[in-house]
Each structure stands twice: as structure tokens, then as C-alpha cells.
Amino acid sequence: MVWLSRAFGPARVSRWLPAAIIPVVIVAGAVIAPLGATAAVDLPDIAPDELLELVATCEADAFSGTIEQQSDLGLPDLSGFSGYEVSGSEPDIASPLELLTGSYSARVFVDGPDLARVQVFDRLAERNIVRNGDEVWLYHSRERTATRLVLSADDTERAEKAVPDAGEVPTPGQLADRVLAELDPSTAITVGTDRVVAGRSVYELVLTPRDRLTLVGSVSIAVDSETGLPLAFEIVARGQDAPAFRVAFTELTLESPDADLFAFEPPPGATVTEHNMQEGPRPDLGAGETPDSTVSGEGWSSIVELSAADLPTGLLESPLYTAATEPVDGGRLLSTALVNVLLTDDGRVFAGAVSPEQLLDTANGR
Amino acid sequence: MPSDAVPTKAVPTNAVPSDAVPTNAVPTDAPRPTGAAAPRRASGAALLRSELWVLFRRRRTWALLLALAAIPILIAVAIRLSSSPSPGRGPAFLDQVSQNGLFVGVTALIVAIPLFLPLTIGVVAGDTIAGEASHGTLRYLLIAPSGRVRLLVVKYIGAAAFCVAAALTVVVAGTAVGALLFPIGPVTLLSGTTIGIGEALARFLAIAGYVTISLLGLSAIGLFFSTITDVPVGAMTATISLAVAGQIVGALPQLEWLHPWIFSHYWLGFVDLLRDPISWASFGDNAVLQAGYLVVFGALAYGRFLTKDILS
């Protein structure tokens, strides 16, 4: 350390000034810049019902942008289960789970109700979902597989109602619609602080459950003040400050994307499969819509019960299941910040945005 | 002041290791500033020219570049001799190589960027100042007034030039050996779109540019370490260790808040240039991050080098 004492002689201090000042400037800039970007803007006041109407009358149906999803559900790290290590044997289990519980960025291109493309950016790979009218292509660059689905009229209608089923990756708008449809008197609706999302000023619609039993603290939807397009969706778990789940645009252009983007041709060398929508399992994430489910409780704290036979085959044998769940009295529990799922030893499944104790009570008939 | 136009290795000392450039490497055609007009600039350019000349005349530099070129060659030969791997196994794009030789360069970059490229950069950047000091040539380079800043800048530009050469070596050698051993044809991008060979080659050049930028931050770190010590091996080891440590930190989910600040955070982001349309976001973020490292470690190197007692 001799050089230190030499280096800091009185005449030499000035030589070290840049080295002292520059990091301070960079850190200060890094702290201040995000504050400026998310600084509160002052929009004209708006009532909750006017804001809901603004969303309902949203006419921006052609746009392209980048979406970031972050979720901090308190799940064990599942990243070891996705990627190429297990993809050969279990292609379909890790992927939808990871899409919902992971953090990733994706590009979205939408032109009207019939043309849409989502590109999920993976590490050194990409998953594409291209919808062009009745035709949907799923392309996975790592596996080099292309799947073609043709939607029947039924499916088209269904896809318009709940696009996540067809597209796997919900945009903030689709998620917002889903939540708004389920609103009932159990929820306090307020307008939160005006903010900036993806460079646009937004109103914030905040839904706070009146029910004290649910794990959901609040749900907030950022609505573009000009077009009414939902730009961000976040769920905060009860008692937490940071959102447990967040999908938000980081970049948005309200112009029709290049038409070539929606004309997908499977590349040479790719394995192409045709998927018959009438038979076989759908690429579906909505386990709650399985026929034999019973719902107990109501509103935010309702608990869904179904039979383990309805779960995707192979799920209970997968190492993913063992890693993600923990043993409890009479079964195994998948515990997250927002949702708990109990799989009892006698083959029943209970799920709800409530505490594990309530699930156990329901399972035991109390 | 033509004296600092004398190339760095011109002074023969008995400390010169065997791989150093022989004394006949003195460029006899190095222009000397003739008039009184702008002598400083002229000598700066001459210093840079002689630095690049010496760097790319060294046998060690060529050995490093040859080692980098060996990576795509090994990959290509191994795949040529064995059966084609199935999709999803091994490094990304590996399974595509046997159908399209143009992917050899990209596959080799993915293999080289975590260790081999930082290793060569560490050797070159760690040697910049410490190498001169250990050869006893540093003080001859600093006779001119304010010569230290100029020498620091020239040394950094030399290291950056090596970054360009290193990235280009992997990409060009990979594409060439791929074209030699495998059929080539239109390239399938990550998004499933197929582009022609010409556009693919242009994108590969852009990737080489991305990789070069990725390595500039590490070069600045190496330059700073090189000003601390008179032992080049110490500076090289420190730089390479930091490159590895940075990637270990980058792999720990517990330190996620730190990840965007680590110089290696966007190193694999060059694949964003293989999406359709090209996603330039990581290119910009990477450039900003590397510029930050360059400024911070440049300032540290400046502070250290200008207050250093040059004894050799």
C-alpha cells in the first residue's frame, strides 16, 4: 500500500478528483433519472366510472411495444427446470408455469383484432406466437418447432374474450379486461396517483378488496390518459409494498406494425406440427375452467376445488412439482405470495388467494 | 519532441522476455514531426501508430488471435466428424451448424465470450502500462511534457484495437471455416424469419461490433490494474479474475439488484441482433454501461498514473 501514501500527497489530490467525482455523478444520475421518469404528472381529475368507460371505449387497436413482466411470488427458483436441460422430456409443463411466474421481456405487435404477434425474449432464444385471422403459429427457436393451430369460429370468439388462452402471454389490456369483468361489490374502486408508463401519462385504477381474508392487497391498472389503453397491471400482496406481479409496457408506439410480421412461414429445418383444436388438450392455462370444479366462498377469498385427475398428466411425477411444493398435514402445499394451492393425499386440489390455513380448513370440511 | 515517437520496445534491456518484439521492430518509416506546427498532435499520432505496430507485431498477440480462431475451427471440425446434435442440446445454435455453416461464428462467440475473449483482453489490457514498466521502457515514453495522459489514451486505444481484432477473428474465422466444411444458405433468425446470406453477413459484422463494445469496459479495468503494478502478470490475473467474478455475481439470483451494473450483464445480448425486427435496446444499454466503466476506470487510471512515481 505504499502507492496509496505516495498517491495522496497534497499536490496530487487534484489528479484523483475525476476518479472521485465521476462515480458520484453516475450514481446520482442513476438515482435521479428513474425518479424523473416516474414522477407524478398532473392530469385533470377523473372519477372511477369515467376511467372505466375510458378503458371500455379504447380504440387503440394497432400498436407495437415492449412488455416487461416481473413476478416476485416467493416461489422457489424454477429457472433450473426451464431451459434445455429438461426440455427434451417435459416440454409443456415448465413453460406455462415459467411464463406466469418468471420475469422476462417480450415484444408485442397488434394490428386490429385479428393480427397479433408476441415475441418472448429468452436467453439466446425466442418464443413466437403469431396470430393471423384464424391461423395461429407457435414457434420456439431453441427446439426449432413450429405448431400451427387453426381456430374454429368458437375458438375465435373465445380467444377474443380471453386472449391469454390463445396467446399464452397476456398483455396488460387483456388482464385488465379480465379483472374488470369480475368486479363486484366486494371491491373498492379508486383512482390512484397519475404516473408515467412507457413515456405516456397514465391514470391509475386501483382495486382494493374489502374482504380481509384474501392475500391480494390491491390490484392496479395504469390506463393511458389519451387512448384508454391499459399500459401496466400490477398486483400487490397484502402487507407488501413492491408488487408481487407486474406486467407493464416499457415502450409503446401507436402505429400499425409492418404487415410482414403477421405472415409467418415456418423456417426450413423446423419440425412442423398441426394441432387439431377439436381433439387433444388445448394449450390452455385456465385450470379454473375445468368442468368438475366447485367454488366455495365468494369474491376475492373464494376457493376452487377440483380433482387431481384434471391436472395435466405427468405433473405430479415431475421433479418440478416436488421442488415447488412443501409437505403439510394431509397433502402438499404450493405457496406463493398471492395464491396458495393445496393438493391433498386423497386426490383433491384446493386453490385460492387465501392463507394455507383456510385451504386446510376447507379441505377438512371445517 | 520526436523522442516519444520512438516505439515502446525500442530500448533493449536485459529484462526483455523471450516473447518480446526484437529490437528490429523499430518502424523506420515512423514520420517525425517536421515543423513547429502542431508537434504534440503529430507525436501523439506517431505514438499511436508505433503502439499499434508493436502490438500487432508481437508474437503473443498473434498467438492470442490464433487461439481465438481455433475455437470456431474446433467446433466446426468436431461437428463435421460426429453426428449432428439434436435441437436444444449444447450451446445455442450448435444444432444448426451442420445445416448452415454460417452459424459457426455465432456459436463460437457464445462459447468464447464467457472466458476466452475476456482472457485475451485481460492479457493485452493488463500488459499496457505494467508491461512497459517491467521492461524498464516506461520512463523513456514519458519524456515529453503531459506525456502521461497521451500515453494512457494511446495504450487504451491499442487495447480497444485488440478488442476489434479479437471479435472479428472469431466471427470471420467461424464464418470462413463454416463455409468451407458445411453447406451455407439463408439464415433462420430467432423469430423464425429467414434472411439472405448478404444480410446475414451484415448482421454478423454488427455482432462483432457489439462484442467489441462489450469488451471495452473490461479493457478499461485492465488498464487501471496495469497502472497499479509493475508486474504485468499481476494486472492480467486481476483483470481475468474480475471478469470471471463478474459473471459469477451475474449468475446469483440473490444479487439481482446488482446485475444491471455488472460489466458482463449484456455480453450475451448480441443475439438480440438475430431477432426480427432487430432489437437495438440491449445494444444501447450495453454501450451506455461500457461507457460508464470506461469513464470510471479511465479516471481511476488517470489518477493513479499521473501521481505514480515512475522508477523504471
Side-chain angles (χ1 to χ4, degrees):
Chain A
M1 290 292 108
V2 182
W3 66 272
L4 274 179
S5 60
R6 280 197 200 127
F8 290 104
R12 291 166 157 182
V13 169
S14 67
R15 310 286 198 199
W16 285 98
L17 276 180
I21 292 169
I22 288 170
V24 174
V25 171
I26 289 180
V27 170
V31 170
I32 291 166
L35 287 184
T38 59
V41 285
D42 196 21
L43 294 166
D45 286 348
I46 191 168
D49 57 331
E50 288 171 314
L51 185 51
L52 285 174
E53 197 188 324
L54 182 66
V55 176
T57 58
C58 167
E59 281 173 2
D61 60 353
F63 57 87
S64 52
T66 310
I67 283 178
E68 296 265 350
Q69 175 177 310
Q70 285 146 6
S71 54
D72 184 13
L73 294 174
L75 269 178
D77 184 17
L78 300 180
S79 54
F81 291 96
S82 59
Y84 53 79
E85 288 93 345
V86 294
S87 59
S89 54
E90 298 167 67
D92 294 317
I93 296 172
S95 162
L97 246 183
E98 188 227 318
L99 274 181
L100 269 183
T101 61
S103 302
Y104 60 84
S105 65
R107 270 193 309 205
V108 180
F109 306 92
V110 174
D111 193 356
D114 291 337
L115 298 175
R117 178 167 193 158
V118 180
Q119 301 180 320
V120 181
F121 285 12
D122 295 325
R123 198 182 141 83
L124 303 177
E126 187 173 308
R127 278 167 285 176
N128 271 257
I129 301 121
V130 189
R131 175 164 182 220
N132 192 341
D134 290 342
E135 193 184 47
V136 175
W137 279 100
L138 310 175
Y139 178 71
H140 197 312
S141 79
R142 188 179 284 128
E143 320 282 337
R144 276 197 293 150
T145 52
T147 310
R148 180 171 179 266
L149 314 169
V150 178
L151 304 175
S152 62
D154 255 12
D155 285 313
T156 316
E157 207 171 277
R158 181 188 153 91
E160 266 152 28
K161 260 194 283 177
V163 185
D165 289 351
E168 281 196 352
V169 184
T171 69
Q174 293 151 1
L175 276 176
D177 286 348
R178 198 184 253 193
V179 170
L180 290 179
E182 284 169 13
L183 276 184
D184 61 12
S186 65
T187 311
I189 306 168
T190 50
V191 176
T193 327
D194 303 337
R195 292 188 291 145
V196 174
V197 170
R200 304 180 65 89
S201 54
V202 293
Y203 291 110
E204 194 180 28
L205 186 67
V206 183
L207 316 175
T208 316
R210 299 184 208 276
D211 193 340
R212 309 308 292 178
L213 292 174
T214 174
L215 296 173
V216 178
S218 69
V219 174
S220 84
I221 301 156
V223 179
D224 185 23
S225 59
E226 267 176 53
T227 60
L229 190 70
L231 299 185
F233 176 90
E234 34 189 76
I235 308 178
V236 181
R238 185 173 298 279
Q240 290 186 358
D241 293 331
F245 180 82
R246 176 181 158 87
V247 187
F249 278 103
T250 54
E251 218 184 281
L252 180 72
T253 318
L254 288 172
E255 282 164 19
S256 289
D258 193 351
D260 290 348
L261 282 169
F262 305 111
F264 184 84
E265 287 282 325
T271 320
V272 180
T273 46
E274 300 265 339
H275 200 92
N276 191 335
M277 294 302 282
Q278 311 305 321
E279 295 164 22
R282 294 160 185 273
D284 195 326
L285 298 180
E289 293 162 14
T290 324
D292 299 331
S293 63
T294 45
V295 180
S296 56
E298 58 181 46
W300 292 91
S301 59
S302 46
I303 295 170
V304 180
E305 180 191 344
L306 34 117
S307 155
D310 294 331
L311 295 176
T313 43
L315 178 68
L316 297 184
E317 286 79 43
S318 79
L320 184 71
Y321 166 73
T322 328
T325 57
E326 50 186 300
V328 289
D329 254 0
R332 292 186 75 87
L333 180 75
L334 173 72
S335 183
T336 73
L338 287 174
V339 177
N340 284 304
V341 181
L342 174 72
L343 298 100
T344 60
D345 292 334
D346 54 8
R348 292 176 299 159
V349 181
F350 295 87
V354 294
S355 66
E357 291 74 31
Q358 281 169 278
L359 284 182
L360 279 167
D361 286 353
T362 313
N364 296 333
R366 268 175 277 171
Chain B
M1 297 296 287
S3 57
D4 67 351
V6 174
T8 55
K9 300 300 185 296
V11 181
T13 70
N14 50 9
V16 176
S18 59
D19 74 331
V21 170
T23 46
N24 63 6
V26 179
T28 47
D29 59 345
R32 292 162 177 253
T34 45
R40 187 158 297 169
R41 170 174 293 193
S43 66
L47 186 64
L48 177 59
R49 204 170 307 141
S50 81
E51 167 69 18
L52 292 178
W53 175 261
V54 170
L55 176 66
F56 286 103
R57 281 283 306 250
R58 296 193 78 165
R59 250 173 287 162
R60 188 179 66 195
T61 308
W62 284 101
L64 291 175
L65 292 178
L66 277 177
L68 286 175
I71 296 170
I73 294 173
L74 270 177
I75 291 175
V77 170
I79 293 181
R80 191 81 183 90
L81 295 180
S82 67
S83 62
S84 176
S86 61
R89 295 227 167 260
F93 306 113
L94 191 67
D95 57 299
Q96 306 221 25
V97 164
S98 61
Q99 287 148 43
N100 195 339
L102 293 177
F103 278 104
V104 176
V106 185
T107 312
L109 269 185
I110 290 171
V111 173
I113 215 163
L115 184 61
F116 298 108
L117 275 172
L119 203 113
T120 57
I121 303 305
V123 169
V124 171
D127 190 55
T128 45
I129 303 292
E132 304 286 356
S134 76
H135 293 153
T137 48
L138 193 50
R139 60 182 144 166
Y140 297 99
L141 290 167
L142 295 173
I143 294 169
S146 83
R148 293 191 181 193
V149 179
R150 197 189 314 153
L151 181 68
L152 212 53
V153 171
V154 163
K155 284 291 185 185
Y156 184 74
I157 295 175
F162 181 79
C163 294
V164 178
L168 275 178
T169 301
V170 178
V171 172
V172 172
T175 310
V177 74
L180 211 65
L181 293 183
F182 300 103
I184 59 169
V187 168
T188 303
L189 300 174
L190 290 177
S191 308
T193 322
T194 304
I195 56 170
I197 294 176
E199 196 192 337
L201 292 179
R203 289 206 187 196
F204 290 169
L205 274 185
I207 286 175
Y210 186 108
V211 172
T212 303
I213 293 172
S214 298
L215 296 169
L216 291 181
L218 187 64
S219 302
I221 295 173
L223 183 72
F224 169 58
F225 284 154
S226 194
T227 60
I228 293 178
T229 173
D230 287 350
V231 186
V233 174
M236 295 174 194
T237 318
T239 312
I240 296 163
S241 310
L242 199 67
V244 174
Q247 292 177 82
I248 292 174
V249 171
L252 292 177
Q254 286 79 4
L255 297 173
E256 206 167 358
W257 55 273
L258 191 64
H259 290 177
W261 294 87
I262 299 173
F263 54 87
S264 57
H265 185 62
Y266 298 104
W267 275 5
L268 287 174
F270 66 81
V271 293
D272 283 356
L273 298 175
L274 294 177
R275 303 190 194 277
D276 179 49
I278 293 179
S279 168
W280 289 104
S282 62
F283 195 99
D285 292 346
N286 184 38
V288 170
L289 180 72
Q290 302 300 333
Y293 270 91
L294 170 53
V295 173
V296 169
F297 281 90
L300 281 170
Y302 169 87
R304 168 64 185 144
F305 194 50
L306 267 72
T307 55
K308 185 179 182 174
D309 290 327
I310 308 293
L311 301 171
S312 54

